[in-house]
Amino acid sequence: MRHRRIIRLAAVVMALGLIAAGCRGSDNDDAESATTTAEGGGGEETSEVTPGPGFDGTNISLGVLTPQTGAAAVIGNPLTQGNEVFFQGLNASGGIAGQYPVSLEVLDTKYEPPTAVQQYQASKGDVAAFLQVLGTPVVDALLPQLETDEMLAGPASLDAFWVREPNLMPIGGPYQVQVINGIDYAMRELDAADKTICALTKDDPYGETGLAGLEFAAEEMDFEIAATATFRQGDQNFTAPISQLKGAGCEITVFVALPNETSPILSEAVAQEFAPMWLAASPTWVSAFAGSALAPYLQENFLLISEGPEWGDTSNPGMAKMLEDIAAYAPDQTPDIYFQFGYAQAWAMAQILEQAVEDGDLSPAGIVAAAQTIEMLTFEELTGDYAYGPVEDRDPPRTSTINAIDPSIPGGLTALEVDVASEAAEAYQFDG
Protein backbone atom coordinates (compact mmCIF):
# COMPACT_ATOMS: atom_id res chain seq x y z
CA MET A 1 0.00 0.00 0.00
CA ARG A 2 2.77 2.40 0.95
CA HIS A 3 4.69 1.83 -2.29
CA ARG A 4 1.62 2.66 -4.35
CA ARG A 5 1.12 5.88 -2.40
CA ILE A 6 4.63 7.06 -3.15
CA ILE A 7 4.36 6.30 -6.88
CA ARG A 8 1.02 8.12 -7.19
CA LEU A 9 2.31 11.26 -5.52
CA ALA A 10 5.72 11.17 -7.15
CA ALA A 11 4.15 12.06 -10.49
CA VAL A 12 2.82 15.31 -9.01
CA VAL A 13 6.17 16.08 -7.43
CA MET A 14 8.14 15.49 -10.61
CA ALA A 15 5.86 17.69 -12.71
CA LEU A 16 5.99 20.61 -10.30
CA GLY A 17 9.69 20.08 -9.72
CA LEU A 18 10.45 20.56 -13.40
CA ILE A 19 8.62 23.91 -13.38
CA ALA A 20 10.68 25.22 -10.49
CA ALA A 21 14.03 23.73 -11.48
CA GLY A 22 14.90 26.57 -13.83
CA CYS A 23 14.61 29.11 -11.00
CA ARG A 24 16.58 27.25 -8.33
CA GLY A 25 19.09 25.12 -10.12
CA SER A 26 22.24 27.07 -9.25
CA ASP A 27 21.76 27.62 -5.50
CA ASN A 28 23.44 24.44 -4.29
CA ASP A 29 26.34 24.85 -6.69
CA ASP A 30 27.04 28.33 -5.34
CA ALA A 31 27.02 27.15 -1.75
CA GLU A 32 29.17 24.06 -2.14
CA SER A 33 32.37 26.00 -2.65
CA ALA A 34 31.99 28.25 0.42
CA THR A 35 33.83 27.79 3.68
CA THR A 36 33.19 29.63 6.94
CA THR A 37 35.29 30.19 10.00
CA ALA A 38 33.29 30.83 13.16
CA GLU A 39 34.77 32.90 16.01
CA GLY A 40 33.88 32.84 19.69
CA GLY A 41 33.44 35.83 21.97
CA GLY A 42 37.20 36.08 22.62
CA GLY A 43 37.98 36.40 18.92
CA GLU A 44 39.68 33.02 18.78
CA GLU A 45 38.82 30.57 16.05
CA THR A 46 36.55 27.90 17.53
CA SER A 47 35.27 25.91 14.58
CA GLU A 48 35.03 25.70 10.84
CA VAL A 49 31.67 24.80 9.46
CA THR A 50 30.86 24.25 5.81
CA PRO A 51 27.95 26.49 4.78
CA GLY A 52 25.27 25.77 2.26
CA PRO A 53 21.78 26.96 1.40
CA GLY A 54 20.26 28.49 4.50
CA PHE A 55 23.56 29.00 6.34
CA ASP A 56 25.64 32.09 5.54
CA GLY A 57 28.31 31.41 8.12
CA THR A 58 26.41 33.24 10.84
CA ASN A 59 22.68 32.50 10.72
CA ILE A 60 20.82 29.28 10.06
CA SER A 61 17.51 29.47 8.17
CA LEU A 62 15.02 26.62 8.42
CA GLY A 63 11.87 26.10 6.37
CA VAL A 64 8.41 25.46 7.80
CA LEU A 65 5.76 24.06 5.44
CA THR A 66 2.49 24.18 7.33
CA PRO A 67 -1.20 25.02 6.87
CA GLN A 68 -1.56 28.63 7.98
CA THR A 69 -4.98 28.76 6.35
CA GLY A 70 -7.64 26.13 5.66
CA ALA A 71 -9.03 23.31 7.73
CA ALA A 72 -5.74 22.17 9.31
CA ALA A 73 -4.58 25.66 10.32
CA VAL A 74 -5.86 24.97 13.82
CA ILE A 75 -2.98 22.48 14.04
CA GLY A 76 -0.37 24.28 11.94
CA ASN A 77 -0.45 27.66 13.64
CA PRO A 78 0.06 26.58 17.27
CA LEU A 79 2.57 23.96 16.15
CA THR A 80 4.58 26.64 14.37
CA GLN A 81 4.32 28.87 17.43
CA GLY A 82 5.92 26.03 19.40
CA ASN A 83 8.73 25.89 16.82
CA GLU A 84 9.30 29.63 17.14
CA VAL A 85 9.25 29.82 20.94
CA PHE A 86 11.85 27.07 21.27
CA PHE A 87 14.28 28.88 18.96
CA GLN A 88 13.58 32.24 20.57
CA GLY A 89 14.77 30.70 23.82
CA LEU A 90 17.79 29.07 22.19
CA ASN A 91 18.75 32.19 20.25
CA ALA A 92 18.78 34.17 23.48
CA SER A 93 21.79 32.06 24.49
CA GLY A 94 23.49 32.43 21.11
CA GLY A 95 21.76 29.76 19.06
CA ILE A 96 23.14 26.45 17.81
CA ALA A 97 26.48 25.70 19.49
CA GLY A 98 26.09 29.07 21.23
CA GLN A 99 26.97 30.99 18.06
CA TYR A 100 24.54 30.38 15.21
CA PRO A 101 21.04 31.86 15.72
CA VAL A 102 18.17 30.21 13.87
CA SER A 103 15.41 31.89 11.86
CA LEU A 104 12.31 30.29 10.33
CA GLU A 105 10.83 30.80 6.87
CA VAL A 106 7.16 29.86 7.25
CA LEU A 107 5.10 29.06 4.13
CA ASP A 108 1.42 28.15 3.84
CA THR A 109 0.61 24.72 2.36
CA LYS A 110 -3.15 24.83 3.07
CA TYR A 111 -2.72 21.09 3.83
CA GLU A 112 -2.68 20.51 0.07
CA PRO A 113 0.11 18.31 -1.34
CA PRO A 114 0.40 20.20 -4.69
CA THR A 115 0.63 23.54 -2.85
CA ALA A 116 3.22 22.10 -0.47
CA VAL A 117 5.35 20.90 -3.38
CA GLN A 118 5.26 24.36 -4.94
CA GLN A 119 6.25 26.01 -1.65
CA TYR A 120 9.05 23.49 -1.19
CA GLN A 121 10.47 24.20 -4.63
CA ALA A 122 10.24 27.95 -4.05
CA SER A 123 12.12 27.82 -0.74
CA LYS A 124 14.53 24.88 -0.77
CA GLY A 125 17.44 26.96 -2.01
CA ASP A 126 17.12 29.33 0.94
CA VAL A 127 17.00 26.91 3.88
CA ALA A 128 19.36 24.41 5.45
CA ALA A 129 16.56 21.98 6.32
CA PHE A 130 12.80 21.94 6.83
CA LEU A 131 11.96 22.01 10.50
CA GLN A 132 8.30 21.21 9.96
CA VAL A 133 6.29 19.58 7.17
CA LEU A 134 2.73 19.03 8.38
CA GLY A 135 0.46 16.22 7.26
CA THR A 136 0.94 12.62 6.18
CA PRO A 137 -0.26 13.24 2.57
CA VAL A 138 2.03 16.29 2.32
CA VAL A 139 5.07 14.39 3.59
CA ASP A 140 4.30 11.60 1.13
CA ALA A 141 4.27 14.13 -1.72
CA LEU A 142 7.59 15.69 -0.71
CA LEU A 143 9.62 12.56 0.03
CA PRO A 144 10.95 12.01 -3.52
CA GLN A 145 12.20 15.61 -3.69
CA LEU A 146 13.76 15.45 -0.22
CA GLU A 147 15.71 12.40 -1.34
CA THR A 148 16.82 14.02 -4.58
CA ASP A 149 17.90 17.24 -2.85
CA GLU A 150 19.54 15.47 0.14
CA MET A 151 17.37 17.56 2.45
CA LEU A 152 16.17 16.75 5.99
CA ALA A 153 12.58 17.53 7.06
CA GLY A 154 10.70 17.11 10.31
CA PRO A 155 7.28 15.54 9.70
CA ALA A 156 4.52 17.00 11.86
CA SER A 157 2.82 13.70 11.39
CA LEU A 158 3.26 10.48 13.35
CA ASP A 159 3.19 7.90 10.58
CA ALA A 160 5.25 4.78 11.37
CA PHE A 161 6.54 4.78 7.79
CA TRP A 162 8.74 7.77 8.62
CA VAL A 163 10.91 5.79 11.02
CA ARG A 164 13.16 4.31 8.31
CA GLU A 165 13.26 7.36 6.03
CA PRO A 166 16.77 8.93 6.12
CA ASN A 167 15.48 12.31 4.90
CA LEU A 168 12.94 12.62 7.70
CA MET A 169 13.31 13.57 11.35
CA PRO A 170 10.39 11.85 13.12
CA ILE A 171 9.73 12.33 16.81
CA GLY A 172 7.14 10.80 19.12
CA GLY A 173 5.28 7.53 19.13
CA PRO A 174 3.61 6.90 15.73
CA TYR A 175 -0.18 6.86 15.27
CA GLN A 176 -0.04 3.09 15.08
CA VAL A 177 1.42 3.08 18.60
CA GLN A 178 -1.25 5.52 19.79
CA VAL A 179 -4.04 3.24 18.61
CA ILE A 180 -2.42 0.08 20.00
CA ASN A 181 -1.95 1.69 23.41
CA GLY A 182 -5.49 3.08 23.29
CA ILE A 183 -6.91 -0.38 22.66
CA ASP A 184 -4.73 -1.78 25.46
CA TYR A 185 -6.21 0.82 27.83
CA ALA A 186 -9.71 -0.14 26.67
CA MET A 187 -8.96 -3.81 27.33
CA ARG A 188 -7.77 -3.05 30.87
CA GLU A 189 -10.20 -0.33 31.91
CA LEU A 190 -13.27 -0.59 29.65
CA ASP A 191 -13.75 -4.36 29.32
CA ALA A 192 -13.13 -4.08 25.59
CA ALA A 193 -12.64 -7.84 25.23
CA ASP A 194 -16.41 -8.22 25.69
CA LYS A 195 -17.40 -5.27 23.52
CA THR A 196 -17.82 -4.51 19.83
CA ILE A 197 -14.76 -2.71 18.47
CA CYS A 198 -14.88 -0.63 15.28
CA ALA A 199 -13.09 2.21 13.49
CA LEU A 200 -13.95 5.45 11.75
CA THR A 201 -10.97 6.78 9.80
CA LYS A 202 -10.16 9.33 7.17
CA ASP A 203 -9.81 7.81 3.69
CA ASP A 204 -6.21 8.88 3.16
CA PRO A 205 -2.68 7.87 4.28
CA TYR A 206 -3.25 9.44 7.72
CA GLY A 207 -6.36 7.36 8.25
CA GLU A 208 -4.55 4.24 7.07
CA THR A 209 -2.04 4.61 9.90
CA GLY A 210 -4.75 4.36 12.54
CA LEU A 211 -6.33 1.39 10.85
CA ALA A 212 -2.94 -0.34 10.67
CA GLY A 213 -2.56 0.10 14.43
CA LEU A 214 -6.03 -1.32 15.06
CA GLU A 215 -5.38 -4.34 12.83
CA PHE A 216 -2.12 -5.04 14.65
CA ALA A 217 -3.84 -4.71 18.03
CA ALA A 218 -6.55 -7.14 16.87
CA GLU A 219 -3.92 -9.75 16.06
CA GLU A 220 -1.97 -9.24 19.28
CA MET A 221 -4.99 -9.03 21.60
CA ASP A 222 -7.16 -11.57 19.77
CA PHE A 223 -10.33 -9.67 18.95
CA GLU A 224 -12.42 -9.09 15.82
CA ILE A 225 -12.91 -5.68 14.21
CA ALA A 226 -16.67 -5.56 13.79
CA ALA A 227 -16.88 -2.66 11.31
CA THR A 228 -14.74 -0.01 9.66
CA ALA A 229 -16.11 3.16 8.09
CA THR A 230 -14.31 5.94 6.27
CA PHE A 231 -14.89 9.49 5.09
CA ARG A 232 -13.11 11.69 2.59
CA GLN A 233 -11.45 15.07 2.80
CA GLY A 234 -14.13 17.69 2.25
CA ASP A 235 -17.11 15.52 3.18
CA GLN A 236 -19.93 17.53 4.74
CA ASN A 237 -22.47 14.80 5.46
CA PHE A 238 -21.57 11.98 7.85
CA THR A 239 -24.96 10.29 8.10
CA ALA A 240 -23.81 7.17 6.26
CA PRO A 241 -20.67 6.28 8.27
CA ILE A 242 -22.36 7.00 11.61
CA SER A 243 -25.39 4.92 10.57
CA GLN A 244 -23.08 2.09 9.53
CA LEU A 245 -21.27 2.05 12.87
CA LYS A 246 -24.48 2.35 14.87
CA GLY A 247 -25.99 -0.48 12.88
CA ALA A 248 -22.98 -2.67 13.68
CA GLY A 249 -23.50 -2.06 17.39
CA CYS A 250 -20.08 -0.49 17.89
CA GLU A 251 -19.27 0.15 21.56
CA ILE A 252 -15.62 1.22 21.18
CA THR A 253 -14.58 3.10 18.05
CA VAL A 254 -11.07 4.10 16.99
CA PHE A 255 -11.28 7.59 15.49
CA VAL A 256 -8.73 9.16 13.09
CA ALA A 257 -9.62 12.60 11.75
CA LEU A 258 -8.67 16.27 11.79
CA PRO A 259 -10.27 18.71 14.25
CA ASN A 260 -12.50 20.32 11.62
CA GLU A 261 -13.96 16.87 10.96
CA THR A 262 -14.36 15.91 14.62
CA SER A 263 -17.12 18.43 15.31
CA PRO A 264 -19.53 17.55 12.46
CA ILE A 265 -18.89 13.82 12.82
CA LEU A 266 -19.60 13.77 16.55
CA SER A 267 -22.54 16.13 16.09
CA GLU A 268 -24.01 13.55 13.73
CA ALA A 269 -23.34 10.87 16.35
CA VAL A 270 -25.24 12.94 18.93
CA ALA A 271 -28.12 13.42 16.47
CA GLN A 272 -28.33 9.65 15.91
CA GLU A 273 -27.95 8.92 19.65
CA PHE A 274 -24.83 6.90 18.89
CA ALA A 275 -22.52 6.91 21.90
CA PRO A 276 -19.61 4.48 21.78
CA MET A 277 -16.35 5.27 23.56
CA TRP A 278 -14.27 7.06 20.93
CA LEU A 279 -10.54 6.28 21.11
CA ALA A 280 -9.18 9.27 19.24
CA ALA A 281 -5.78 9.92 17.68
CA SER A 282 -4.11 13.12 18.85
CA PRO A 283 -4.89 15.27 15.73
CA THR A 284 -8.66 14.95 16.31
CA TRP A 285 -8.57 17.48 19.14
CA VAL A 286 -8.48 21.23 19.68
CA SER A 287 -8.93 22.85 23.07
CA ALA A 288 -11.96 24.82 21.84
CA PHE A 289 -14.02 21.61 21.96
CA ALA A 290 -13.94 21.74 25.75
CA GLY A 291 -16.00 24.92 25.65
CA SER A 292 -18.34 23.84 22.86
CA ALA A 293 -21.83 22.39 22.85
CA LEU A 294 -20.21 18.98 22.36
CA ALA A 295 -18.40 19.11 25.70
CA PRO A 296 -20.94 17.04 27.71
CA TYR A 297 -20.89 14.30 25.04
CA LEU A 298 -17.09 14.38 24.90
CA GLN A 299 -16.82 14.06 28.68
CA GLU A 300 -18.80 10.84 28.57
CA ASN A 301 -17.62 9.30 25.31
CA PHE A 302 -14.20 10.54 24.21
CA LEU A 303 -10.62 9.62 25.13
CA LEU A 304 -7.72 11.37 23.42
CA ILE A 305 -4.46 9.49 22.93
CA SER A 306 -1.36 11.66 22.96
CA GLU A 307 2.12 11.59 24.49
CA GLY A 308 3.94 13.36 27.29
CA PRO A 309 2.86 15.04 30.53
CA GLU A 310 -0.29 16.94 31.26
CA TRP A 311 0.10 20.63 30.44
CA GLY A 312 1.39 22.54 33.47
CA ASP A 313 3.01 19.58 35.24
CA THR A 314 6.22 21.27 36.34
CA SER A 315 7.48 18.06 37.95
CA ASN A 316 8.30 17.09 34.36
CA PRO A 317 11.60 18.87 33.50
CA GLY A 318 10.80 19.22 29.80
CA MET A 319 7.41 20.78 30.56
CA ALA A 320 9.04 23.12 33.09
CA LYS A 321 11.57 24.28 30.46
CA MET A 322 8.80 24.86 27.89
CA LEU A 323 6.69 26.86 30.36
CA GLU A 324 9.69 29.05 31.19
CA ASP A 325 10.13 29.87 27.50
CA ILE A 326 6.40 30.53 27.11
CA ALA A 327 6.51 32.96 30.01
CA ALA A 328 9.39 34.79 28.35
CA TYR A 329 8.31 34.79 24.69
CA ALA A 330 4.60 33.91 24.39
CA PRO A 331 2.86 34.73 27.68
CA ASP A 332 -0.58 34.59 26.07
CA GLN A 333 -0.11 31.01 24.90
CA THR A 334 -2.85 28.72 26.21
CA PRO A 335 -2.52 24.94 26.74
CA ASP A 336 -2.27 23.27 23.36
CA ILE A 337 -0.98 19.81 22.43
CA TYR A 338 0.16 21.07 19.01
CA PHE A 339 2.26 23.84 20.51
CA GLN A 340 3.85 21.19 22.73
CA PHE A 341 4.65 18.99 19.72
CA GLY A 342 6.10 21.94 17.80
CA TYR A 343 8.32 22.86 20.72
CA ALA A 344 9.63 19.27 20.93
CA GLN A 345 10.15 19.14 17.18
CA ALA A 346 12.33 22.26 17.28
CA TRP A 347 14.23 20.73 20.19
CA ALA A 348 14.95 17.67 18.02
CA MET A 349 16.21 19.77 15.12
CA ALA A 350 18.46 21.76 17.45
CA GLN A 351 20.14 18.55 18.61
CA ILE A 352 20.78 17.47 15.02
CA LEU A 353 22.13 20.89 14.07
CA GLU A 354 24.46 20.74 17.07
CA GLN A 355 25.72 17.42 15.71
CA ALA A 356 26.15 18.94 12.23
CA VAL A 357 28.25 21.75 13.71
CA GLU A 358 30.34 19.19 15.57
CA ASP A 359 30.78 17.36 12.24
CA GLY A 360 31.73 20.66 10.57
CA ASP A 361 29.01 20.55 7.92
CA LEU A 362 25.79 22.60 7.98
CA SER A 363 24.96 21.94 4.33
CA PRO A 364 21.63 20.14 3.72
CA ALA A 365 23.49 16.88 3.02
CA GLY A 366 25.62 17.42 6.13
CA ILE A 367 22.48 17.82 8.24
CA VAL A 368 21.02 14.60 6.79
CA ALA A 369 24.29 12.87 7.71
CA ALA A 370 24.20 14.35 11.23
CA ALA A 371 20.73 12.84 11.75
CA GLN A 372 22.31 9.43 11.20
CA THR A 373 25.30 10.18 13.42
CA ILE A 374 23.54 11.37 16.56
CA GLU A 375 22.63 8.38 18.74
CA MET A 376 19.64 9.66 20.69
CA LEU A 377 17.17 12.55 20.66
CA THR A 378 16.14 13.50 24.19
CA PHE A 379 13.54 15.95 25.49
CA GLU A 380 13.80 15.85 29.28
CA GLU A 381 10.58 13.77 29.29
CA LEU A 382 8.49 16.34 27.38
CA THR A 383 8.09 13.51 24.88
CA GLY A 384 9.73 10.11 24.67
CA ASP A 385 13.42 9.65 23.91
CA TYR A 386 13.99 8.47 20.35
CA ALA A 387 16.94 6.21 19.44
CA TYR A 388 18.54 7.60 16.28
CA GLY A 389 21.71 6.74 14.37
CA PRO A 390 21.43 4.87 11.04
CA VAL A 391 17.78 4.59 10.03
CA GLU A 392 17.80 0.82 10.44
CA ASP A 393 18.61 1.39 14.13
CA ARG A 394 15.96 4.03 14.82
CA ASP A 395 13.56 3.07 17.56
CA PRO A 396 10.69 5.47 18.40
CA PRO A 397 9.08 5.73 21.82
CA ARG A 398 6.25 3.27 22.41
CA THR A 399 4.47 5.28 25.10
CA SER A 400 1.14 7.09 25.02
CA THR A 401 -0.86 9.26 27.38
CA ILE A 402 -4.59 8.61 27.75
CA ASN A 403 -6.61 11.79 28.31
CA ALA A 404 -10.19 12.33 29.35
CA ILE A 405 -12.06 15.56 28.66
CA ASP A 406 -12.52 18.01 31.52
CA PRO A 407 -13.93 21.40 30.46
CA SER A 408 -13.16 22.86 33.91
CA ILE A 409 -9.39 22.94 33.35
CA PRO A 410 -7.39 25.01 30.81
CA GLY A 411 -6.95 23.03 27.60
CA GLY A 412 -9.74 20.64 28.56
CA LEU A 413 -7.58 17.53 28.95
CA THR A 414 -6.86 15.55 32.10
CA ALA A 415 -4.43 12.64 31.95
CA LEU A 416 -5.73 9.26 33.09
CA GLU A 417 -2.43 7.52 32.34
CA VAL A 418 0.85 9.20 31.39
CA ASP A 419 3.39 7.66 29.02
CA VAL A 420 2.32 4.02 29.32
CA ALA A 421 3.60 1.43 26.82
CA SER A 422 1.64 -1.76 26.18
CA GLU A 423 3.27 -5.09 25.35
CA ALA A 424 1.67 -4.93 21.92
CA ALA A 425 3.13 -1.48 21.24
CA GLU A 426 6.54 -2.74 22.30
CA ALA A 427 6.15 -5.61 19.83
CA TYR A 428 5.21 -3.42 16.86
CA GLN A 429 7.82 -3.62 14.11
CA PHE A 430 8.70 -0.65 11.93
CA ASP A 431 9.36 -1.85 8.41
CA GLY A 432 11.59 -0.11 5.93
Side-chain angles (χ1 to χ4, degrees), residues 26 50 64 68 222 246-247 254 300 307 338 379 411:
S26 63
T50 302
V64 172
Q68 295 177 289
D222 192 24
K246 183 178 180 181
V254 168
E300 295 295 326
E307 188 175 350
Y338 304 115
F379 307 90

PDB file of all heavy atoms in Angstrom, residues 26 50 64 68 222 246-247 254 300 307 338 379 411:
ATOM      1  N   SER A  26      20.862  26.748  -9.538  1.00  0.00           N
ATOM      2  CA  SER A  26      22.244  27.073  -9.254  1.00  0.00           C
ATOM      3  C   SER A  26      22.542  27.288  -7.778  1.00  0.00           C
ATOM      4  O   SER A  26      23.675  27.465  -7.396  1.00  0.00           O
ATOM      5  CB  SER A  26      22.632  28.352 -10.004  1.00  0.00           C
ATOM      6  OG  SER A  26      21.850  29.432  -9.541  1.00  0.00           O
ATOM      7  N   THR A  50      31.165  24.067   7.219  1.00  0.00           N
ATOM      8  CA  THR A  50      30.856  24.249   5.805  1.00  0.00           C
ATOM      9  C   THR A  50      29.448  24.799   5.640  1.00  0.00           C
ATOM     10  O   THR A  50      28.496  24.220   6.147  1.00  0.00           O
ATOM     11  CB  THR A  50      30.960  22.909   5.060  1.00  0.00           C
ATOM     12  OG1 THR A  50      32.269  22.396   5.230  1.00  0.00           O
ATOM     13  CG2 THR A  50      30.646  23.098   3.578  1.00  0.00           C
ATOM     14  N   VAL A  64       9.590  26.018   7.134  1.00  0.00           N
ATOM     15  CA  VAL A  64       8.410  25.460   7.799  1.00  0.00           C
ATOM     16  C   VAL A  64       7.296  25.423   6.758  1.00  0.00           C
ATOM     17  O   VAL A  64       6.866  26.474   6.268  1.00  0.00           O
ATOM     18  CB  VAL A  64       7.985  26.314   9.009  1.00  0.00           C
ATOM     19  CG1 VAL A  64       6.642  25.830   9.558  1.00  0.00           C
ATOM     20  CG2 VAL A  64       9.051  26.269  10.099  1.00  0.00           C
ATOM     21  N   GLN A  68      -1.235  27.409   7.245  1.00  0.00           N
ATOM     22  CA  GLN A  68      -1.561  28.634   7.981  1.00  0.00           C
ATOM     23  C   GLN A  68      -3.002  29.053   7.730  1.00  0.00           C
ATOM     24  O   GLN A  68      -3.541  29.867   8.468  1.00  0.00           O
ATOM     25  CB  GLN A  68      -0.624  29.766   7.554  1.00  0.00           C
ATOM     26  CG  GLN A  68       0.844  29.527   7.923  1.00  0.00           C
ATOM     27  CD  GLN A  68       1.738  30.628   7.413  1.00  0.00           C
ATOM     28  OE1 GLN A  68       1.978  30.753   6.202  1.00  0.00           O
ATOM     29  NE2 GLN A  68       2.229  31.453   8.322  1.00  0.00           N
ATOM     30  N   ASP A 222      -6.196 -10.541  20.127  1.00  0.00           N
ATOM     31  CA  ASP A 222      -7.162 -11.574  19.772  1.00  0.00           C
ATOM     32  C   ASP A 222      -8.612 -11.083  19.869  1.00  0.00           C
ATOM     33  O   ASP A 222      -9.417 -11.573  20.656  1.00  0.00           O
ATOM     34  CB  ASP A 222      -6.974 -12.809  20.661  1.00  0.00           C
ATOM     35  CG  ASP A 222      -7.748 -14.010  20.133  1.00  0.00           C
ATOM     36  OD1 ASP A 222      -8.027 -14.044  18.914  1.00  0.00           O
ATOM     37  OD2 ASP A 222      -8.085 -14.910  20.929  1.00  0.00           O
ATOM     38  N   LYS A 246     -23.386   2.590  13.926  1.00  0.00           N
ATOM     39  CA  LYS A 246     -24.477   2.349  14.873  1.00  0.00           C
ATOM     40  C   LYS A 246     -25.162   1.022  14.559  1.00  0.00           C
ATOM     41  O   LYS A 246     -25.483   0.249  15.466  1.00  0.00           O
ATOM     42  CB  LYS A 246     -25.481   3.504  14.811  1.00  0.00           C
ATOM     43  CG  LYS A 246     -26.613   3.358  15.815  1.00  0.00           C
ATOM     44  CD  LYS A 246     -27.569   4.541  15.759  1.00  0.00           C
ATOM     45  CE  LYS A 246     -28.701   4.361  16.785  1.00  0.00           C
ATOM     46  NZ  LYS A 246     -29.665   5.491  16.744  1.00  0.00           N
ATOM     47  N   GLY A 247     -25.361   0.769  13.278  1.00  0.00           N
ATOM     48  CA  GLY A 247     -25.987  -0.479  12.875  1.00  0.00           C
ATOM     49  C   GLY A 247     -25.187  -1.707  13.254  1.00  0.00           C
ATOM     50  O   GLY A 247     -25.741  -2.784  13.490  1.00  0.00           O
ATOM     51  N   VAL A 254     -12.305   3.361  17.269  1.00  0.00           N
ATOM     52  CA  VAL A 254     -11.071   4.105  16.989  1.00  0.00           C
ATOM     53  C   VAL A 254     -11.405   5.210  16.001  1.00  0.00           C
ATOM     54  O   VAL A 254     -12.108   4.987  15.001  1.00  0.00           O
ATOM     55  CB  VAL A 254      -9.996   3.155  16.419  1.00  0.00           C
ATOM     56  CG1 VAL A 254      -8.817   3.940  15.854  1.00  0.00           C
ATOM     57  CG2 VAL A 254      -9.541   2.177  17.499  1.00  0.00           C
ATOM     58  N   GLU A 300     -18.299  12.193  28.333  1.00  0.00           N
ATOM     59  CA  GLU A 300     -18.802  10.835  28.568  1.00  0.00           C
ATOM     60  C   GLU A 300     -18.262   9.813  27.589  1.00  0.00           C
ATOM     61  O   GLU A 300     -18.170   8.629  27.914  1.00  0.00           O
ATOM     62  CB  GLU A 300     -20.335  10.838  28.473  1.00  0.00           C
ATOM     63  CG  GLU A 300     -21.028  11.654  29.544  1.00  0.00           C
ATOM     64  CD  GLU A 300     -20.817  11.073  30.938  1.00  0.00           C
ATOM     65  OE1 GLU A 300     -20.744   9.839  31.057  1.00  0.00           O
ATOM     66  OE2 GLU A 300     -20.728  11.872  31.892  1.00  0.00           O
ATOM     67  N   GLU A 307       0.855  12.018  23.893  1.00  0.00           N
ATOM     68  CA  GLU A 307       2.122  11.588  24.489  1.00  0.00           C
ATOM     69  C   GLU A 307       2.644  12.712  25.368  1.00  0.00           C
ATOM     70  O   GLU A 307       2.408  13.899  25.085  1.00  0.00           O
ATOM     71  CB  GLU A 307       3.152  11.266  23.397  1.00  0.00           C
ATOM     72  CG  GLU A 307       4.431  10.625  23.943  1.00  0.00           C
ATOM     73  CD  GLU A 307       5.375  10.214  22.815  1.00  0.00           C
ATOM     74  OE1 GLU A 307       4.976  10.247  21.654  1.00  0.00           O
ATOM     75  OE2 GLU A 307       6.532   9.864  23.126  1.00  0.00           O
ATOM     76  N   TYR A 338      -0.612  20.855  20.240  1.00  0.00           N
ATOM     77  CA  TYR A 338       0.157  21.067  19.008  1.00  0.00           C
ATOM     78  C   TYR A 338       1.340  22.003  19.262  1.00  0.00           C
ATOM     79  O   TYR A 338       2.422  21.823  18.695  1.00  0.00           O
ATOM     80  CB  TYR A 338      -0.752  21.602  17.904  1.00  0.00           C
ATOM     81  CG  TYR A 338      -1.927  20.693  17.671  1.00  0.00           C
ATOM     82  CD1 TYR A 338      -3.228  21.109  17.926  1.00  0.00           C
ATOM     83  CD2 TYR A 338      -1.743  19.384  17.239  1.00  0.00           C
ATOM     84  CE1 TYR A 338      -4.311  20.261  17.754  1.00  0.00           C
ATOM     85  CE2 TYR A 338      -2.812  18.527  17.056  1.00  0.00           C
ATOM     86  CZ  TYR A 338      -4.095  18.975  17.314  1.00  0.00           C
ATOM     87  OH  TYR A 338      -5.154  18.120  17.145  1.00  0.00           O
ATOM     88  N   PHE A 379      14.427  14.793  25.301  1.00  0.00           N
ATOM     89  CA  PHE A 379      13.542  15.950  25.486  1.00  0.00           C
ATOM     90  C   PHE A 379      13.220  16.183  26.957  1.00  0.00           C
ATOM     91  O   PHE A 379      12.208  16.804  27.271  1.00  0.00           O
ATOM     92  CB  PHE A 379      12.244  15.727  24.702  1.00  0.00           C
ATOM     93  CG  PHE A 379      12.475  15.379  23.254  1.00  0.00           C
ATOM     94  CD1 PHE A 379      12.613  14.042  22.851  1.00  0.00           C
ATOM     95  CD2 PHE A 379      12.576  16.370  22.293  1.00  0.00           C
ATOM     96  CE1 PHE A 379      12.836  13.706  21.520  1.00  0.00           C
ATOM     97  CE2 PHE A 379      12.793  16.045  20.954  1.00  0.00           C
ATOM     98  CZ  PHE A 379      12.937  14.712  20.564  1.00  0.00           C
ATOM     99  N   GLY A 411      -7.312  24.029  28.602  1.00  0.00           N
ATOM    100  CA  GLY A 411      -6.953  23.032  27.599  1.00  0.00           C
ATOM    101  C   GLY A 411      -7.930  21.886  27.506  1.00  0.00           C
ATOM    102  O   GLY A 411      -7.999  21.203  26.486  1.00  0.00           O
TER     103      GLY A 411
END
